[in-house]
Amino acid sequence: MPETRVLIPTGALGLGYDRAALARGIAAKPHIIAVDGGSTDSGPAYLGRGASKYSRATTRAEWRELMQARAEAGVPLIIGTAGTCGADATVDWLFDITRDLAAELGQRLTVTRLYTGQDPADIATAFEAGRITPLPAAPEVDTDTIRACSNIVALAGAEQVAAALATGADIVIAGRTTDTAIIAALPIVRGCHGGAAWHGAKIGECGAIATTHPASGTILIEFDDAGFTVDPMALSARATPYTVSAHMLYENSDPFLLYEPGGVLDVTAATYTALDDRRVRVEGSVWRPGPYTVKLEGARIAGYQTVSLTLLRDRRYVANASGWAAQVAARARADVSERMGLAPDGFDIELRLIGRDATLGPLETPGPMPAEIGVLAIATAPTEAEAAEIGKILNPYLLHHALTEDEPMPTFAFPFSPAEMSRGALYEFCLNHVLGLDDPMAPFRIVTDEVGHG
């Protein structure tokens, strides 16, 4: 059984990495270069819109370097969750970038796209047939909810990634995958230890985050028939038993179990041994096969929003900002109900105090009074026009509302004109479920093309 070396350049395309570390990784002769394209960290809008949260310019620049590294190494390059959300549209977006770069670099390439997007009508049918099961804390859904999704993706696992690699592709652009699948697939195909393949993939999913220098990005993981070895490529980074073992808790509620399509990884008996001051060896992980399910993620439009920002600097208003915001919200809600005819549960007005407790609200630890507070007003309504109208109803209150009726009218500061800014559609995640499959490939599509020249 040959050893399998997987080079992970960075935690996600667009986050940057140490170029010298990448060069050392290429010199180590990897069998594949695997990089993640993103995640759901920045909320549902990117999946809902089918758009990348990272800029095209940044993505293109880093992808260009990785395509050059791939050519130098002579091995496949794979990206999972392309375009940060993995929708079919972002797979095509990155494919267009790849095609342009191939021509620019004079590379003739076989490029395979693994599509993971799902037809909401098909998922609704599967729901009616009882093939979809909610995960813990999943929202209540029905077929109408599912059909209203603008995008649904299924998270591909090692089997689908392996099928894409089996096309002989130089580059694989995959839609939504589990973070681990693009790393685990080749070691599994080449006969490496199953538990090690999944465990090492979990450790490597975010590049150098499992080291002492996370920002360096690049690591090499070597898999074999008993375990795996983590080797940071940046000279400033070290892997330690602590940094490696702790990563099992990164974005995972259980430090010992990790559920993936087709089974669960159990690292209860895993051992972490420092080979030297930079590398860590891990053995004892176990892969336990189970029913084949894939996770579904879906997003739909939940309304439309307009936002405004005003600044409070008067010490009295800063000290009484919570009460002032409550007064503004109450008066604006009353105006909206009376003048627009919207029911109280048909719209929402929220004022967040930036600099005081905008993140944690009542859970915030009290501290010294700030010099100023930004008040972010968020108006949400069923239509974009209604949200804009509510924003304008809020405007005079945000600019001039006084704490009491018998004091001079204050004037606060709008940093922008116009003060109202449309956010457009507001998206929400509405699927946190798994789909049972008899055929792991059934909901996925693979397309292979030749691009470039040379």
Side-chain angles (χ1 to χ4, degrees):
M1 190 282 303
E3 296 173 337
T4 302
R5 292 180 294 278
V6 179
L7 179 64
I8 301 103
T10 179
L13 187 69
L15 290 182
Y17 50 86
D18 182 331
R19 270 63 181 177
L22 177 63
R24 280 188 287 275
I26 296 300
K29 300 186 181 304
H31 295 97
I32 191 171
I33 303 171
V35 64
D36 188 31
S39 71
T40 60
D41 290 355
S42 294
Y46 303 100
L47 177 59
R49 296 173 180 173
S52 173
K53 77 171 183 175
Y54 293 125
S55 78
R56 184 183 182 94
T58 298
T59 300
R60 190 181 192 280
E62 292 191 6
W63 192 236
R64 186 181 194 276
E65 293 175 342
L66 295 186
M67 287 177 62
Q68 291 174 308
R70 184 219 65 80
E72 181 181 349
V75 299
L77 167 64
I78 181 170
I79 184 168
T81 311
T84 68
C85 67
D88 289 355
T90 54
V91 171
D92 290 338
W93 176 77
L94 189 56
F95 177 70
D96 287 341
I97 293 173
T98 305
R99 183 168 47 196
D100 290 346
L101 286 172
E104 177 183 308
L105 296 170
Q107 296 182 359
R108 182 68 178 173
L109 302 169
T110 301
V111 180
T112 292
R113 286 167 282 171
L114 171 60
Y115 289 105
T116 63
Q118 306 299 309
D119 186 334
D122 293 341
I123 298 302
T125 298
F127 178 80
E128 291 174 332
R131 293 171 47 217
I132 293 177
T133 304
L135 292 170
E140 292 288 336
V141 297
D142 54 26
T143 55
D144 289 340
T145 303
I146 295 170
R147 292 178 189 276
C149 288
S150 54
N151 277 303
I152 299 174
V153 289
L155 275 65
E159 290 78 6
Q160 297 83 19
V161 171
L165 290 171
T167 64
D170 299 301
I171 294 177
V172 171
I173 302 173
R176 188 72 168 108
T177 65
T178 70
D179 292 349
T180 49
I182 58 171
I183 301 172
L186 187 62
I188 291 172
V189 168
R190 288 167 59 91
C192 295
H193 188 279
W198 284 109
H199 192 182
K202 172 60 181 173
I203 301 307
E205 63 177 348
C206 290
I209 283 186
T211 76
T212 59
H213 191 174
S216 60
T218 308
I219 64 171
L220 185 78
I221 301 182
E222 186 171 289
F223 300 88
D224 53 43
D225 60 357
F228 65 94
T229 300
V230 180
D231 189 358
M233 292 293 99
L235 296 179
S236 59
R238 296 183 301 112
T240 71
Y242 172 79
T243 63
V244 172
S245 62
H247 197 74
M248 274 299 296
L249 266 176
Y250 181 77
E251 298 180 337
N252 191 39
S253 60
D254 192 308
F256 301 113
L257 301 178
L258 178 69
Y259 291 89
E260 294 283 345
V264 59
L265 167 68
D266 185 347
V267 305
T268 305
T271 60
Y272 304 81
T273 305
L275 298 181
D276 48 40
D277 65 347
R278 293 177 49 79
R279 297 177 301 147
V280 169
R281 173 71 177 174
V282 181
E283 296 184 359
S285 315
V286 178
W287 173 251
R288 304 190 189 282
Y292 204 94
T293 61
V294 293
K295 185 174 180 286
L296 298 173
E297 292 173 350
R300 66 172 181 170
I301 294 176
Y304 293 82
Q305 281 188 338
T306 292
V307 298
S308 301
L309 181 66
T310 192
L311 303 175
L312 308 182
R313 284 193 62 87
D314 181 280
R315 301 300 288 166
R316 180 163 170 266
Y317 282 85
V318 169
N320 294 279
S322 296
W324 180 86
Q327 290 177 11
V328 168
R331 293 190 66 173
R333 287 190 185 102
D335 287 351
V336 170
S337 294
E338 178 184 348
R339 299 169 186 174
M340 294 180 62
L342 294 179
D345 60 354
F347 69 95
D348 184 60
I349 293 174
E350 180 183 6
L351 271 63
R352 298 182 186 176
L353 303 181
I354 310 298
R356 171 170 289 184
D357 58 6
T359 302
L360 297 180
L363 297 178
E364 185 64 74
T365 301
M369 187 168 62
E372 68 178 7
I373 287 178
V375 181
L376 180 65
I378 306 171
T380 306
T383 71
E384 191 163 13
E386 288 170 331
E389 185 73 2
I390 296 172
K392 291 184 177 183
I393 287 175
L394 275 161
N395 183 299
Y397 295 120
L398 295 173
L399 187 61
H400 291 306
H401 179 70
L403 278 167
T404 63
E405 294 182 356
D406 58 354
E407 64 184 89
M409 183 180 70
T411 298
F412 305 109
F414 285 141
F416 309 108
S417 180
E420 300 80 38
M421 297 166 281
S422 173
R423 291 192 61 237
L426 170 68
Y427 290 88
E428 66 178 3
F429 287 123
C430 53
L431 283 176
N432 187 33
H433 297 65
V434 293
L435 169 67
L437 296 176
D438 295 324
D439 174 7
M441 295 303 300
F444 300 94
R445 295 185 296 121
I446 290 177
V447 177
T448 301
D449 292 287
E450 300 294 324
V451 303
H453 57 77

